[in-house]
Amino acid sequence: MSKQFFSVQYESTTTRARLGTVTTPHGEIKTPVFMPVGTQATVKTMAPHELYDLGAEIILSNTYHLYLRPGEDLVAEAGGLHQFMNWQRPILTDSGGFQVFSLGPLRKISEEGVEFRSHLDGSKHFISPEKSIQIQMGLGADIIMAFDECAPYPADYEYVKKSKDLTTRWARRCKAAHTREDQALFGIIQGGMYKDLRRESAEELLELDFPGYGIGGLSVGEPKELMYEVLEDLIPVMPKDKPRYLMGVGSPDCLIEGVIRGVDMFDCVWPTRLARHGMAITRKGNLAVRDRPYGRDFRPIEEGCPCYTCQNFSRAYIRHLIKAKEVLGIRLTTIHNLSFLIRLMHDIRQAIAEERLLEFRDEFLAEYGSGK
Amino acid sequence: MSKQFFSVQYESTTTRARLGTVTTPHGEIKTPVFMPVGTQATVKTMAPHELYDLGAEIILSNTYHLYLRPGEDLVAEAGGLHQFMNWQRPILTDSGGFQVFSLGPLRKISEEGVEFRSHLDGSKHFISPEKSIQIQMGLGADIIMAFDECAPYPADYEYVKKSKDLTTRWARRCKAAHTREDQALFGIIQGGMYKDLRRESAEELLELDFPGYGIGGLSVGEPKELMYEVLEDLIPVMPKDKPRYLMGVGSPDCLIEGVIRGVDMFDCVWPTRLARHGMAITRKGNLAVRDRPYGRDFRPIEEGCPCYTCQNFSRAYIRHLIKAKEVLGIRLTTIHNLSFLIRLMHDIRQAIAEERLLEFRDEFLAEYGSGK
């Protein structure tokens, strides 16, 4: 990878936040950034040009899902994921580790890798660190992730230590297997809620000199305060010149608190999933636009919101569409939710540049509330 | 209604086709025209601006569905259907007659109107001609339809005659009940496959001097040749200075054959429904893009097609989306299908202007086939 993969333009003096740029073969990403999730090579309900219009600079797609369907060989034959789904900006793929881990009784972990049964048809599969990298090289994302084991929460110290050690050994194998120079392979720091294990994990992975680091195994059910504490302890031992990616985090309060603690990248299915449940994100908290009180509410989801949805449609119309099971209802809510988070990241970057991120956090949370 | 509601710009000398313009409070419609159907105040999966981009000049929405949900009073409170769904071009609403008729055992027809049970919750309702007009005035479409009884196919002469007579009496009541001067109320000619009843129906309705006429009760299961025969016999008795609207017809072959016989307006759920079944319309016939042979087919649905879908995505990607139950798959197929029919109507208008519609028909059908 080029030395210019990540550059920091500004470091906050009042928080650990920084403004950076990630440079990939498909363009630049301004950090801190939120990455919408396109699990099956599509951000649910959205067309690529709509995501461009919202200002999405990078999306995430899931190795586990694409491996099962349509298969990385088919995607490679199409010219890679960018070509297959016609998304011409950067893409990050996860390693499949978290999805396979989430299969519960359907998977069996060994030193070699993970044996699991497909959630689609029950067929048996085996993913090793080498296999995950091979799949991700076939998919061809700009940023790919090492194959890790994500410990559950709660989990005892011994289990998490073994899991962290395994993740380190797998990270070495991933690095050895990775040969595409146009992709940046990130290591993933594990260690659960144990600060010493987190620091050990970080130190072990730093030796491998990855161009960026994921922080895995957070936002898995623990209290948010505990996640913040782990970040506060961990991030100072992470390198300043590499992007830090907090995996699976996307609620507005966690985005702001994460940035304050030094996180550069986030992803989460939350805004798109919320939309499918008829829920919209607003500055005043989340709005159940699917519910009866909005049936005759002819205001937009959020007054003053510049998104296509709020500029053109009412809560009453969106509620009608959702009740009538019309796709456009979820589409419009998805557009609003993604627009909200992408604009929030823009505002966060602005607040960093103006050294008022803590005030921004306080003002935002006073209106939004936290943990909804 | 303004005298300028319908004007004919050109009459073909070789067929009964003509080029016309329908002028409404929400703009002009060039005829012959195909109207996409937005049953529940949305053309399934599509946003209004996408329909504008495709060149859709008018859409149809369904009185029966909107009456049940969200209710015409709510739509009126929103400022009417245009405002509610933010569609700023012309809208036509049907009368609810066909939908209620289609409920089968759930409905009971009397002189007064039709009693039926909602397909949503089984609740009991009654729609009379006056009620249909009242609902349609609440919805506020530019063109509305008289409440009719659509006889099934096959049906014996006596039944169809009674049904046609009832439709005429209902048409009188509709006209008496209609008071909005910004809406054009069309009568609907019935009479099944009986040419004398069709002519009687037309003559009776012509006395009421509607600004346009629907042709109902065709495309209800009869052979296409029979439909064409009925049209050939009926259309010469319809006025030349009023638009002729063949209801519920939308396959490419029927559109061309209908125009040749003098039809100006068409609507059908076919292109959008076909898309939901993973089927795409192409010049060479319909393509089951959902099927396995297209899994590794990296060509667009139709080579040379200028639509957003064909300019940006492959059959393989669309098939993947459809198999993965991703909304974008249906969206992209819907865009292509509507684009195909709207461009077909454009080509038909061009062929009329150049007096080569019959040649156009022969060339088109030689490639497309008929009746698929």
Side-chain angles (χ1 to χ4, degrees):
Chain A
M1 292 300 304
S2 154
K3 285 177 188 167
Q4 293 298 313
F5 175 66
F6 183 63
S7 61
V8 174
Q9 277 77 54
Y10 180 75
E11 280 188 73
S12 166
T13 54
T14 52
T15 70
R16 290 220 178 84
R18 65 262 188 89
L19 296 172
T21 304
V22 174
T23 302
T24 79
H26 290 89
E28 292 190 347
I29 306 146
K30 295 289 172 199
T31 64
V33 67
F34 173 78
M35 304 184 281
V37 177
T39 298
Q40 304 191 101
T42 167
V43 175
K44 286 188 190 302
T45 79
M46 301 285 289
H49 71 87
E50 293 170 316
L51 291 163
Y52 298 157
D53 289 350
L54 293 180
E57 295 194 331
I58 175 171
I59 59 169
L60 179 147
S61 200
N62 291 110
T63 289
Y64 166 79
H65 289 90
L66 296 178
Y67 159 72
L68 290 180
R69 184 174 59 194
E72 74 281 8
D73 54 337
L74 191 150
V75 173
E77 201 180 318
L81 195 49
H82 294 86
Q83 189 69 16
F84 183 57
M85 65 184 289
N86 194 24
W87 171 261
Q88 300 306 336
R89 294 185 182 176
I91 301 177
L92 182 150
T93 47
D94 66 2
S95 67
F98 182 76
Q99 262 80 22
V100 166
F101 162 82
S102 304
L103 291 172
L106 293 176
R107 55 99 178 114
K108 211 166 74 188
I109 302 171
S110 67
E111 180 68 30
E112 189 50 29
V114 184
E115 187 183 273
F116 63 95
R117 287 188 179 277
S118 159
H119 74 287
L120 296 175
D121 61 6
S123 57
K124 211 182 256 189
H125 299 267
F126 185 79
I127 294 189
S128 61
E130 291 78 11
K131 176 77 182 170
S132 169
I133 295 300
Q134 180 210 312
I135 299 169
Q136 293 187 79
M137 288 197 292
L139 297 174
D142 302 273
I143 301 175
I144 72 172
M145 302 302 293
F147 192 68
D148 61 329
E149 197 212 334
C150 176
Y153 175 83
D156 65 43
Y157 188 88
E158 276 313 300
Y159 181 93
V160 177
K161 178 168 172 43
K162 277 184 193 163
S163 166
K164 182 273 293 173
D165 291 344
L166 182 66
T167 291
T168 298
R169 292 193 296 277
W170 283 0
R172 282 192 201 106
R173 287 166 56 188
C174 285
K175 179 151 183 175
H178 186 234
T179 56
R180 271 187 76 157
E181 295 197 352
D182 59 346
Q183 294 182 309
L185 168 63
F186 282 24
I188 301 180
I189 298 168
Q190 290 287 355
M193 307 304 152
Y194 302 103
K195 292 174 185 169
D196 61 329
L197 296 181
R198 284 280 169 188
R199 285 194 297 268
E200 273 180 34
S201 176
E203 284 158 15
E204 290 161 7
L205 295 178
L206 292 193
E207 284 174 23
L208 296 171
D209 195 27
F210 288 107
Y213 291 89
I215 303 168
L218 290 180
S219 197
V220 289
E222 79 282 9
K224 288 180 179 182
E225 284 308 323
L226 181 52
M227 176 173 84
Y228 300 151
E229 274 178 39
V230 171
L231 288 176
E232 281 162 24
D233 196 74
L234 169 64
I235 286 186
V237 305
M238 292 175 72
K240 285 200 166 185
D241 60 346
K242 306 283 176 75
R244 306 155 182 162
Y245 160 31
L246 179 56
M247 304 176 75
V249 167
S251 68
D253 49 329
C254 291
L255 293 174
I256 301 173
E257 299 287 4
V259 169
I260 287 171
R261 287 161 181 81
V263 175
D264 304 302
M265 301 167 69
F266 303 85
D267 81 283
C268 199
V269 296
W270 183 75
T272 42
R273 182 171 290 166
L274 204 69
R276 294 200 301 287
H277 293 142
M279 298 279 294
I281 313 170
T282 83
R283 289 185 311 274
K284 293 179 179 168
N286 302 332
L287 183 89
V289 66
R290 62 167 188 239
D291 284 352
R292 184 177 293 266
Y294 306 109
R296 288 180 183 268
D297 188 336
F298 299 106
R299 291 174 297 174
I301 285 177
E302 183 160 38
E303 310 262 14
C305 172
C307 86
Y308 172 72
T309 301
C310 290
Q311 290 296 308
N312 289 283
F313 305 96
S314 67
R315 296 172 178 185
Y317 180 59
I318 294 167
R319 176 177 191 263
H320 162 67
L321 294 174
I322 292 170
K323 298 309 280 184
K325 298 194 170 39
E326 287 284 359
V327 163
L328 185 59
I330 298 171
R331 267 188 75 185
L332 294 177
T333 313
T334 300
I335 287 171
H336 172 80
N337 285 356
L338 289 176
S339 168
F340 187 96
L341 289 193
I342 289 167
R343 281 182 292 111
L344 175 64
M345 298 312 290
H346 177 270
D347 293 347
I348 287 173
R349 292 195 298 271
Q350 191 93 7
I352 295 171
E354 296 168 3
E355 282 297 359
R356 54 175 180 77
L357 183 57
L358 294 174
E359 295 86 326
F360 177 86
R361 184 255 320 263
D362 294 345
E363 285 163 23
F364 183 90
L365 294 184
E367 215 181 350
Y368 181 79
S370 63
K372 275 209 234 184
Chain B
M1 291 302 304
S2 154
K3 285 176 189 169
Q4 293 299 311
F5 174 66
F6 183 62
S7 61
V8 174
Q9 277 78 54
Y10 179 76
E11 279 188 74
S12 166
T13 55
T14 52
T15 70
R16 289 219 179 85
R18 65 258 190 91
L19 296 171
T21 305
V22 174
T23 302
T24 79
H26 290 90
E28 292 190 347
I29 306 146
K30 294 289 172 199
T31 63
V33 67
F34 173 78
M35 304 184 280
V37 177
T39 299
Q40 304 191 102
T42 167
V43 176
K44 286 190 192 299
T45 79
M46 301 284 291
H49 70 87
E50 292 170 316
L51 291 162
Y52 297 158
D53 289 349
L54 293 180
E57 295 193 329
I58 173 171
I59 59 170
L60 177 148
S61 201
N62 290 110
T63 289
Y64 166 79
H65 289 90
L66 296 178
Y67 159 72
L68 289 181
R69 184 174 59 193
E72 73 281 8
D73 53 338
L74 191 151
V75 173
E77 202 179 318
L81 194 49
H82 294 86
Q83 189 69 16
F84 182 57
M85 66 183 289
N86 194 24
W87 172 261
Q88 300 304 335
R89 294 185 182 176
I91 301 177
L92 181 150
T93 46
D94 66 1
S95 68
F98 182 76
Q99 262 79 21
V100 165
F101 160 82
S102 305
L103 291 173
L106 294 175
R107 54 100 178 116
K108 213 167 70 189
I109 301 170
S110 67
E111 181 67 31
E112 189 49 30
V114 184
E115 187 182 274
F116 63 96
R117 288 188 179 275
S118 159
H119 74 288
L120 296 176
D121 61 6
S123 57
K124 212 182 256 187
H125 298 267
F126 186 79
I127 294 189
S128 61
E130 291 78 11
K131 176 76 183 174
S132 169
I133 296 300
Q134 180 210 311
I135 298 169
Q136 292 187 80
M137 289 197 291
L139 297 174
D142 302 274
I143 301 175
I144 72 173
M145 303 301 294
F147 191 68
D148 60 329
E149 197 211 334
C150 176
Y153 175 82
D156 65 42
Y157 189 87
E158 275 313 299
Y159 181 93
V160 176
K161 180 169 171 43
K162 277 185 192 163
S163 168
K164 182 274 292 174
D165 290 346
L166 181 66
T167 291
T168 298
R169 292 193 297 277
W170 283 0
R172 282 192 201 104
R173 286 166 56 188
C174 284
K175 177 150 183 174
H178 186 234
T179 55
R180 271 188 75 158
E181 295 196 351
D182 59 347
Q183 293 182 309
L185 168 62
F186 282 23
I188 300 179
I189 297 167
Q190 291 287 354
M193 308 303 153
Y194 302 103
K195 293 174 184 171
D196 60 329
L197 295 181
R198 284 280 171 187
R199 285 193 297 267
E200 272 180 36
S201 176
E203 284 157 15
E204 289 161 7
L205 294 178
L206 292 192
E207 285 175 22
L208 297 171
D209 195 28
F210 288 107
Y213 292 89
I215 304 167
L218 290 180
S219 196
V220 289
E222 79 281 9
K224 288 179 178 183
E225 285 307 325
L226 181 51
M227 176 173 85
Y228 300 151
E229 275 179 37
V230 171
L231 288 176
E232 281 161 23
D233 197 76
L234 169 63
I235 286 185
V237 304
M238 292 175 72
K240 287 199 165 186
D241 59 346
K242 305 282 175 77
R244 306 155 182 162
Y245 160 32
L246 178 56
M247 303 175 76
V249 166
S251 67
D253 49 328
C254 291
L255 292 174
I256 301 172
E257 299 287 3
V259 169
I260 288 171
R261 287 159 179 84
V263 175
D264 304 302
M265 301 167 67
F266 303 86
D267 80 284
C268 198
V269 296
W270 182 75
T272 43
R273 182 172 291 167
L274 204 68
R276 294 201 300 286
H277 293 143
M279 299 279 294
I281 313 170
T282 83
R283 289 184 312 272
K284 294 180 179 168
N286 302 333
L287 183 90
V289 66
R290 60 166 189 240
D291 284 352
R292 185 178 292 266
Y294 306 109
R296 289 180 183 268
D297 188 336
F298 299 107
R299 291 173 298 174
I301 286 178
E302 184 160 39
E303 311 262 14
C305 172
C307 85
Y308 171 71
T309 301
C310 290
Q311 290 296 309
N312 289 283
F313 304 96
S314 67
R315 295 173 178 185
Y317 180 58
I318 293 167
R319 175 176 193 261
H320 161 68
L321 295 174
I322 291 170
K323 298 310 281 184
K325 299 192 169 43
E326 287 284 358
V327 162
L328 185 60
I330 299 169
R331 268 187 74 186
L332 294 177
T333 313
T334 300
I335 287 170
H336 172 80
N337 285 355
L338 288 176
S339 168
F340 186 97
L341 289 193
I342 290 167
R343 281 181 294 111
L344 175 65
M345 297 313 291
H346 176 269
D347 293 346
I348 287 173
R349 291 194 299 270
Q350 192 92 6
I352 295 171
E354 296 167 6
E355 281 297 358
R356 53 174 181 79
L357 183 57
L358 294 175
E359 295 86 327
F360 177 86
R361 184 254 322 262
D362 294 344
E363 286 163 21
F364 183 90
L365 293 185
E367 213 181 353
Y368 180 78
S370 63
K372 276 208 231 183

